[in-house]
Amino acid sequence: MGDSRRKSPTPRAFLSRLLPGRAAGILRSRRATAIREHLPSAPGFWRSPVRGVPFTAVLGLVLLGGITVLFVTGLLSYAAYNPDLNPVNDKTPDKGLLGFYLFAWPTGPHWLYRLTQGVHVTLGIVLVPVLLAKLWSVVPKLFALPPARSLGHALERLSLLLLVGGALFEFVTGLLNIQLDYLFPGSFYRLHFYGAWVFFAAFLAHAGLRAPQAVRVLRSGGLSGTVPGDPLESPAPAAPTLSRRGALAMVGAGSLVLLITSAGRSFDGPLRRLAALTPHGAAEPGSGPNGFQINKTAASVGLATTDMGEGWRLTVSGPAGDLRFTRDQLLAMDQHSSALPIACVEGWSTSDQWWRGVRLKDLAALAGYPDGAPGLLVESVQRSGPFRRAALRDNQVDDPRSLLALGVNGEYLSLDHGYPARIIVPAAPGVLNTKWVSRLTFGEL
């Protein structure tokens, strides 16, 4: 005997029988709402109680000061390369108005480039946690819908895209460069140069709009204050596990660790052995007079001892014609000493090394410029690669500390340090201190 009882229809089935089209629409709408609530564009998706305008304001003001210093020191590095002097120094020949020249780079103090580029690279590394925290704090706005509510809002979103993209591009390419990892296509100099202008333009626009608001927020309520209608604050925050002050302390601790593990390669002191995050964080290469940092070895550019053997000659050109000297003849000339560092664009530098050799101004006199040469083009035995030729200004040639160095720290140069002869000039970027010199051409450049 069968069961005569009938099961009662579920509310969903009842609605489907009663109003099949409307019920299906309601269900689809509910499903769509549930999906939207789990998307990054939903306000409730981001639940951290740390987020808020006060927290972002602190990070923004730190970046405002730090990135301004980065841009200024970047311009100084650009000037130090003397790009307007000669095409061999200019790695952005199609720069147009962006390549305005600041001033002729000086030779004193002799540690000038070591300081400016050391600050540029070290500060760039230290700001990484601040930048990442700032991007994390504003990430809800990047996913906000609709993408553009008006033309003005669309322009603001575009500026944010340029700001975030430019920041990531500049920091990533800079970090890869100081690690000597050229994973990006094209020249680092050109990419970083144009990227800096795009990023800084967006940064100035953003800072002009937001910096006054950030200052007002921090003055009115401080870090723990609230802002009415705060667009970054979660409408349904999770239980706090860390205060805003604690979050800032974590960011500061991360920056401090990066400072300790990077500053030592730009500045002498006890941190030098701890500089594990800079391009040459290992121990100094070897010991003895030539046991200091090397960026470009002879093997890396395809040179061997035989390339600088008995047949090597230095050609000195100028109004007096072409003069050719053996190494022994150069050693027989008046020798002078200079205590100078080597500082490279990657941010590492040596302490002062004692170089000994022939003054460039004395070689200029032999070439036909007894009162000082207007410039100098230096060429290396190196057959290919950037900066195998470099141009120096008249003030660099005329400085008595500028040498064609034949030895260092009381010993002849090693092959990797430029044997048989190299240039050493005070305050010049390392790439302009050409190694394995084969020709010096004095004159107008």
Short mmCIF file of all heavy atoms in Angstrom, two decimals, residues 114 263-272 284 341 349-353:
data_model
loop_
_atom_site.label_atom_id
_atom_site.label_comp_id
_atom_site.label_asym_id
_atom_site.label_seq_id
_atom_site.Cartn_x
_atom_site.Cartn_y
_atom_site.Cartn_z
N ARG A 114 80.15 59.77 -5.13
CA ARG A 114 79.97 58.67 -4.18
C ARG A 114 78.83 58.98 -3.21
O ARG A 114 78.03 58.10 -2.88
CB ARG A 114 81.27 58.45 -3.40
CG ARG A 114 81.23 57.24 -2.52
CD ARG A 114 82.50 57.12 -1.69
NE ARG A 114 82.51 55.85 -0.97
CZ ARG A 114 83.29 55.58 0.05
NH1 ARG A 114 84.16 56.49 0.48
NH2 ARG A 114 83.25 54.41 0.65
N ALA A 263 73.52 49.93 2.98
CA ALA A 263 74.27 51.19 3.05
C ALA A 263 75.78 50.99 3.06
O ALA A 263 76.53 51.86 2.62
CB ALA A 263 73.85 51.98 4.30
N GLY A 264 76.23 49.85 3.55
CA GLY A 264 77.67 49.65 3.71
C GLY A 264 78.46 49.64 2.43
O GLY A 264 79.67 49.87 2.45
N ARG A 265 77.83 49.39 1.27
CA ARG A 265 78.56 49.40 0.00
C ARG A 265 78.69 50.78 -0.59
O ARG A 265 79.39 50.97 -1.57
CB ARG A 265 77.87 48.47 -1.00
CG ARG A 265 78.14 47.00 -0.71
CD ARG A 265 79.61 46.69 -0.79
NE ARG A 265 79.89 45.34 -0.28
CZ ARG A 265 81.11 44.88 -0.10
NH1 ARG A 265 82.15 45.65 -0.35
NH2 ARG A 265 81.31 43.67 0.36
N SER A 266 78.00 51.75 0.00
CA SER A 266 78.13 53.13 -0.46
C SER A 266 78.92 53.99 0.52
O SER A 266 79.48 55.00 0.14
CB SER A 266 76.75 53.76 -0.67
OG SER A 266 76.05 53.09 -1.70
N PHE A 267 78.94 53.59 1.78
CA PHE A 267 79.57 54.41 2.81
C PHE A 267 80.42 53.52 3.71
O PHE A 267 80.00 52.44 4.11
CB PHE A 267 78.50 55.13 3.64
CG PHE A 267 77.53 55.90 2.79
CD1 PHE A 267 76.27 55.39 2.52
CD2 PHE A 267 77.88 57.12 2.24
CE1 PHE A 267 75.37 56.08 1.73
CE2 PHE A 267 76.99 57.83 1.44
CZ PHE A 267 75.73 57.31 1.19
N ASP A 268 81.60 54.00 4.03
CA ASP A 268 82.51 53.23 4.87
C ASP A 268 81.98 53.13 6.30
O ASP A 268 81.22 53.98 6.76
CB ASP A 268 83.89 53.90 4.89
CG ASP A 268 84.58 53.82 3.55
OD1 ASP A 268 84.32 52.86 2.81
OD2 ASP A 268 85.37 54.72 3.23
N GLY A 269 82.40 52.10 6.99
CA GLY A 269 82.01 51.95 8.37
C GLY A 269 81.71 50.50 8.70
O GLY A 269 81.92 49.59 7.89
N PRO A 270 81.17 50.26 9.90
CA PRO A 270 80.92 48.88 10.34
C PRO A 270 79.85 48.15 9.53
O PRO A 270 79.77 46.92 9.58
CB PRO A 270 80.47 49.06 11.80
CG PRO A 270 79.99 50.47 11.89
CD PRO A 270 80.84 51.25 10.94
N LEU A 271 79.02 48.89 8.78
CA LEU A 271 77.96 48.25 8.00
C LEU A 271 78.47 47.63 6.70
O LEU A 271 77.73 46.93 6.02
CB LEU A 271 76.86 49.25 7.66
CG LEU A 271 76.06 49.83 8.84
CD1 LEU A 271 75.02 50.81 8.33
CD2 LEU A 271 75.41 48.72 9.64
N ARG A 272 79.75 47.87 6.38
CA ARG A 272 80.24 47.42 5.08
C ARG A 272 80.17 45.90 4.93
O ARG A 272 79.84 45.39 3.86
CB ARG A 272 81.67 47.91 4.87
CG ARG A 272 82.10 47.93 3.40
CD ARG A 272 83.26 48.89 3.20
NE ARG A 272 83.68 48.95 1.82
CZ ARG A 272 83.15 49.75 0.89
NH1 ARG A 272 82.15 50.54 1.21
NH2 ARG A 272 83.59 49.76 -0.34
N GLU A 284 85.33 41.34 -0.13
CA GLU A 284 86.11 42.04 -1.14
C GLU A 284 86.92 41.03 -1.94
O GLU A 284 87.35 39.99 -1.42
CB GLU A 284 87.06 43.05 -0.47
CG GLU A 284 86.35 44.11 0.37
CD GLU A 284 85.60 45.12 -0.46
OE1 GLU A 284 85.60 44.99 -1.70
OE2 GLU A 284 84.99 46.02 0.12
N PRO A 341 88.18 57.55 -4.52
CA PRO A 341 87.34 56.34 -4.54
C PRO A 341 86.88 56.03 -5.96
O PRO A 341 87.09 56.82 -6.89
CB PRO A 341 86.14 56.76 -3.69
CG PRO A 341 86.00 58.23 -4.00
CD PRO A 341 87.40 58.75 -4.22
N SER A 349 80.61 51.59 -3.91
CA SER A 349 81.80 52.42 -4.05
C SER A 349 82.91 51.85 -3.18
O SER A 349 82.66 51.10 -2.24
CB SER A 349 81.52 53.87 -3.65
OG SER A 349 81.12 53.95 -2.29
N THR A 350 84.14 52.22 -3.51
CA THR A 350 85.28 51.83 -2.69
C THR A 350 85.63 52.98 -1.75
O THR A 350 85.19 54.11 -1.95
CB THR A 350 86.50 51.53 -3.56
OG1 THR A 350 87.01 52.76 -4.10
CG2 THR A 350 86.16 50.59 -4.70
N SER A 351 86.40 52.69 -0.75
CA SER A 351 87.01 53.77 0.02
C SER A 351 88.11 54.38 -0.83
O SER A 351 88.40 53.92 -1.94
CB SER A 351 87.56 53.21 1.33
OG SER A 351 88.45 52.14 1.07
N ASP A 352 88.74 55.43 -0.34
CA ASP A 352 89.82 56.06 -1.10
C ASP A 352 90.97 55.08 -1.30
O ASP A 352 91.45 54.46 -0.34
CB ASP A 352 90.34 57.30 -0.37
CG ASP A 352 89.37 58.46 -0.41
OD1 ASP A 352 88.33 58.33 -1.09
OD2 ASP A 352 89.64 59.50 0.22
N GLN A 353 91.40 54.93 -2.54
CA GLN A 353 92.57 54.12 -2.89
C GLN A 353 93.68 55.07 -3.34
O GLN A 353 93.42 56.12 -3.93
CB GLN A 353 92.24 53.13 -4.01
CG GLN A 353 91.00 52.30 -3.77
CD GLN A 353 91.12 51.37 -2.59
OE1 GLN A 353 92.17 50.78 -2.34
NE2 GLN A 353 90.04 51.23 -1.82
#
